[in-house]
Amino acid sequence: MIVVTGATGQLGQLVIEQLLKRVPASEIAAAVRNPDKAGALAARGIAVREADYDRPETLARCFAAGDKVLLISSSEIGRRLPQHQSVIDAARRADVGLLAYTSLLHADTSPLPIAAEHKATEAALRASGLPVTILRNGWYTENYLAGIDAILAHGAVLGCAGDGRIASAARNDYAEAAAVVMSGGGHAGKTYELAGDRAYTLAGLAAEIAAQAGRPIAFHNLPQAEYRGVLVNAGLPEGLADLLAESDTDAAQGGLYDDSRQLGALIGRPTTPLADSVRSALGKG
């Protein structure tokens, strides 16, 4: 079985869809915290298994010998390492055939504040003795385009990334890469640096939105503290606002850039262009 943890999350759902293009539903298991919320997956013939990162007893029942397991990183920043360790321990006891993990682009050298937990998880994976694949995912383009309504309302993209180049890709690109690894062979022991084929600046993002929306959109580069304040005033939790503002500052230093094109090579096609993602965010396709 191919077991996908966090299968009802944004990335997990897309991974399931990509797997269904490659293997029968009977070979896929969705590992979720609340099985009652996974009825739609069960209706498609996918096995649903309870897997709560905070309840190791559920993980002990979730994996079987020979399973391929995709560990999608927890969304609970600050608690990720012990949660991930519980999954790794359960996978080791079950003697799974492959354990893949969605990490962070250049996790070993990244200046981003979220890198530490990913780096520590990677170390735990390598210490497990299991066949391991590391999928170091770059930034999702959706991280910026989720706020498209506010951008249009204010006529501006706000941030503190300066002229930093951002090699983001669509979430579905990363999902497809995970599906390729989980449904194929020859990936054990490999680490993939996954990012978009073509990088852009936030000024370039503003220009693309302006061109497609047919109205002026500027990029306002703010001091980190001011940008953090904007995010908090917009209703974001302070912890998330800190994370996004710090990540933007680190993007100015190259923290979100990669030019290896490993993602496109892995999925066998160019990554989704920024223009296509903007078009979709604007509801044009």
Side-chain angles (χ1 to χ4, degrees):
M1 297 287 282
I2 298 172
V3 184
V4 179
T5 72
T8 54
Q10 289 180 304
L11 179 62
Q13 292 182 68
L14 292 173
V15 172
I16 294 287
E17 292 301 325
Q18 289 293 337
L19 282 172
L20 287 169
K21 298 177 181 179
R22 294 166 170 81
V23 300
S26 60
E27 296 180 12
I28 304 171
V32 298
R33 179 175 295 181
N34 188 345
D36 291 338
K37 295 183 179 180
L41 295 176
R44 300 176 74 178
I46 295 169
V48 175
R49 301 177 180 177
E50 184 180 13
D52 188 332
Y53 293 165
D54 292 320
R55 296 170 57 216
E57 67 274 13
T58 66
L59 299 172
R61 301 189 295 266
C62 190
F63 310 134
D67 281 348
K68 291 182 177 182
V69 178
L70 174 63
L71 169 55
I72 293 181
S73 59
S74 166
S75 60
E76 298 182 59
I77 296 171
R79 302 186 59 229
R80 284 172 159 170
L81 183 56
Q83 292 177 331
H84 296 165
Q85 187 67 61
S86 293
V87 176
I88 294 167
D89 291 344
R92 185 179 66 246
R93 287 191 292 269
D95 193 24
V96 303
L98 178 71
L99 182 55
Y101 172 64
T102 59
S103 187
L104 176 72
L105 186 68
H106 302 302
D108 53 340
T109 59
S110 173
L112 268 66
I114 57 174
E117 288 179 301
H118 288 294
K119 183 177 179 180
T121 298
E122 289 187 9
L125 286 162
R126 295 190 179 100
S128 72
L130 291 169
V132 167
T133 303
I134 307 295
L135 301 169
R136 287 180 170 171
N137 289 355
W139 222 232
Y140 300 144
T141 308
E142 289 89 345
N143 289 349
Y144 290 116
L145 295 178
I148 191 73
D149 290 341
I151 291 171
L152 295 174
H154 298 289
V157 170
L158 304 180
C160 51
D163 294 325
R165 299 173 69 192
I166 299 159
S168 73
R171 185 179 280 109
N172 194 55
D173 293 341
Y174 297 109
E176 186 170 349
V180 167
V181 166
M182 300 310 292
S183 62
H187 300 287
K190 294 186 177 180
T191 297
Y192 294 103
E193 302 288 355
L194 304 178
D197 290 342
R198 295 184 179 278
Y200 57 88
T201 64
L202 290 187
L205 172 63
E208 182 62 41
I209 296 172
Q212 293 199 34
R215 67 179 74 175
I217 304 289
F219 168 50
H220 294 167
N221 192 47
L222 307 174
Q224 179 177 322
E226 185 176 344
Y227 181 46
R228 176 194 180 278
V230 169
L231 295 174
V232 171
N233 289 336
L236 270 65
E238 291 194 2
L240 180 57
D242 286 335
L243 170 67
L244 293 177
E246 289 179 37
S247 297
D248 235 32
T249 297
D250 291 334
Q253 308 303 316
L256 299 179
Y257 178 71
D258 180 86
D259 61 356
S260 66
R261 299 198 173 194
Q262 292 181 41
L263 177 54
L266 192 58
I267 62 180
R269 62 169 176 80
T271 58
T272 304
L274 176 63
D276 288 3
S277 292
V278 169
R279 188 174 300 111
S280 179
L282 291 170
K284 296 183 176 182

